[in-house]
Amino acid sequence: MEFCDECGSMMQTQGDKWVCTKCDFEKLRDSAKEAAMVTTQSQEASEVIESQGGTEGLPTTDANCPNCENDTAYWYMQQIRSADESETRFFVCTECEHKWREDDH
């Protein structure tokens, strides 16, 4: 990946040149420098971490399910807005597996 010297945008290859998609700045490609670049295509998938999903291992709390009135739910926190916003707490009913957010009413 190459970034424009003029505006900082990501550049694309066109033949023997790098061309900025924003300001049209051009510079010649350097094959030695490009050989040292790491791309997602050249990375090996030697370590794959799979999500277990589901509710296994989640903590439980007292919370009334709006779907079935059960009083116990699994809960977890997730960042769904920008980084300067607080996380949102999600609940999953232990009986019917209905999912809701803390701020849902």
Side-chain angles (χ1 to χ4, degrees):
M1 187 178 311
E2 191 72 28
F3 293 95
C4 179
D5 294 339
E6 297 295 316
C7 70
S9 296
M10 194 165 50
M11 299 179 78
Q12 294 182 349
T13 58
Q14 288 184 357
D16 63 344
K17 295 184 252 180
W18 285 100
V19 180
C20 178
T21 57
K22 189 172 184 179
C23 73
D24 295 324
F25 174 77
E26 296 181 0
K27 67 180 175 181
L28 291 175
R29 293 175 64 178
D30 181 349
S31 58
K33 185 177 177 184
E34 289 179 33
M37 290 181 183
V38 177
T39 66
T40 56
Q41 294 157 342
S42 67
Q43 294 174 349
E44 291 183 29
S46 60
E47 184 179 335
V48 176
I49 301 172
E50 293 185 26
S51 172
Q52 296 298 317
T55 55
E56 185 176 322
L58 292 178
T60 59
T61 189
D62 294 334
N64 290 323
C65 174
N67 192 47
C68 73
E69 300 300 321
N70 180 39
D71 63 353
T72 306
Y74 301 105
W75 67 274
Y76 62 95
M77 305 285 282
Q78 186 172 1
Q79 186 74 37
I80 60 171
R81 295 181 206 95
S82 62
D84 63 343
E85 300 279 339
S86 62
E87 293 179 310
T88 301
R89 187 181 348 216
F90 288 90
F91 297 97
V92 181
C93 178
T94 58
E95 290 292 320
C96 71
E97 296 188 7
H98 175 71
K99 184 177 176 180
W100 72 98
R101 301 189 314 195
E102 187 169 45
D103 59 345
D104 286 347
H105 289 93

